[in-house]
Amino acid sequence: MKKTLLVAALAGVFATAAHAQSSVTLYGLIDAGITYTNNQGGHSAWQEKSGTVNGSRWGLRGAEDLGGGLKAIFTLENGFNIANGTSGQSSRMFGRQAFVGLASDQFGAVTLGRQYDSVVDYLAPLSNTGTQYGGTIAAHPFDNDNLNNSIRFNNTIKYSSINYSGFKFGGTYSFSNSSQFANNRAYSFGATYNYGPLNVAAGYLQLNNDVASASFAANRAGSFTGSSGAGAQTGEWTFLAGRQRTFGAGLNYAFGPATAGFVYTQTNLSDAAGGGISGTQSGTGNATQGGIAFRANSARFQNFEGNVRYALTPALSLAGAYTYTRANLGGGVNPNFNTVSLQSDYLLSKRTDVYLQGNWQHVSSNSEVGAYLNGLSSASTTQNQVAVTVGMRHRF
């Protein structure tokens, strides 16, 4: 009898220990608000919006300790529209992230699945759009540098280093999953370094799209309404072009309750003639933004962003950013975009906050190009667009 009780007790201890070595966490964020826009397609609009600052999402994150500083990890993350309950990212179940891999305390992590690129991982946190202080509607025009995650990457292997005294780096490779190895692939790499109040980062992203594919050709023929076919490795597209190269760098410096930063990014497009800018970017649901098409084989966007945030109290913060974007779409169409974002945020608790955010964009040349704040339903019929949002976020 005593032996039976002892065996039962030991079995319970080992079961508890095994259970303690594994964990699964349910998490999420819900962002909802009311947005007023002065001009969308020639009319003012009042709209209930989901994800004006941060995309609404829920996810599962897990880890299993394999011993020796090694563990198995996974993340499954769904994006959704809180206003109507539909899934984002082209109606994918886990469209934001879906990956599994191994993480080592000594060597870093290797993961496989649908994942973020290195520009998003390392550079975006230094930008206003890549944080809770600006988010979706504060993105650089058309989210041309993907700092706001308009596209994620399928078929991706990613390496993320450990923290080496403030220095971290990583890279991704997204397979075409076809016999045409070099077509429909993407790769990226980036790094960040933190030293006291100073944080610097840089990143590079390249997409090679298969211009010979039937779906790509159909989209380039003028059907700028779909969100798939331009790249098997993304499943969505921002630009219909044979090749996209995006690179950038930035820095943040914290002094007391304030943080100031600067970010520069550039996106170069080639084999772009006959292509254009997607009006249905992943997760935003934008309508066609005015029929802007590239007039030459190459196009370019340069973004210069200055940002600042200040904690007035532990609960109340103020943030703002100004971005000057120089664009060259070919054929003499060279619009300059001036985008301003201002936000005040108040924490009701550790998990719930309310915010007031104002965004303004002015196109200072090429009158045929209307202003177009990211995440809105359509472009302005003038060179100015203003949006004001009152919203709340809850994290769980």
Side-chain angles (χ1 to χ4, degrees), residues 9-187:
L10 289 174
V13 169
F14 287 130
T16 302
H19 177 74
Q21 292 173 350
S22 299
S23 65
V24 176
T25 302
L26 172 67
Y27 67 93
L29 182 151
I30 301 171
D31 183 336
I34 303 296
T35 299
Y36 166 78
T37 312
N38 71 322
N39 188 317
Q40 291 193 65
H43 304 279
S44 61
W46 288 90
Q47 298 170 288
E48 181 186 346
K49 301 287 290 181
S50 174
T52 301
V53 177
N54 299 121
S56 298
R57 82 291 299 261
W58 69 272
L60 296 169
R61 183 184 297 116
E64 180 188 12
D65 190 349
L66 303 177
L70 184 67
K71 59 185 177 181
I73 58 173
F74 78 88
T75 293
L76 300 172
E77 189 172 283
N78 169 271
F80 64 92
N81 187 322
I82 190 63
N84 54 31
T86 57
S87 293
Q89 293 78 49
S90 303
S91 300
R92 287 176 169 80
M93 178 178 290
F94 297 112
R96 290 181 61 89
Q97 299 184 84
F99 64 82
V100 66
L102 295 172
S104 165
D105 292 341
Q106 289 181 297
F107 304 108
V110 175
T111 50
L112 295 161
R114 180 173 169 86
Q115 303 180 76
Y116 299 156
D117 64 86
S118 296
V119 173
V120 168
D121 286 340
Y122 297 100
L123 183 57
L126 305 189
S127 170
N128 187 260
T129 184
T131 67
Q132 64 182 348
Y133 301 102
T136 300
I137 204 168
H140 302 160
F142 315 113
D143 195 22
N144 65 80
D145 46 19
N146 201 43
L147 292 185
N148 190 55
N149 279 330
S150 286
I151 54 175
R152 280 89 169 168
F153 292 85
N154 301 328
N155 317 323
T156 298
I157 181 169
K158 174 188 285 192
Y159 171 74
S160 304
S161 78
I162 62 172
N163 190 327
Y164 295 99
S165 301
F167 178 69
K168 295 185 292 184
F169 64 93
T172 68
Y173 186 90
S174 303
F175 292 86
S176 65
N177 276 10
S178 74
S179 59
Q180 300 295 319
F181 186 79
N183 287 331
N184 264 346
R185 68 175 179 175
Y187 53 89

Side-chain angles (χ1 to χ4, degrees), residues 236-283:
E236 300 90 20
W237 53 276
T238 302
F239 302 115
L240 282 175
R243 179 175 294 169
Q244 175 180 337
R245 292 187 176 102
T246 295
F247 60 88
L251 60 88
N252 277 178
Y253 189 86
F255 42 97
T259 301
F262 175 80
V263 172
Y264 170 80
T265 61
Q266 180 171 318
T267 293
N268 296 317
L269 306 169
S270 58
D271 195 9
I277 301 168
S278 171
T280 53
Q281 295 174 27
S282 171

Side-chain angles (χ1 to χ4, degrees), residues 3-14:
K3 290 182 178 180
T4 302
L5 292 175
L6 179 61
V7 169
L10 289 174
V13 169
F14 287 130

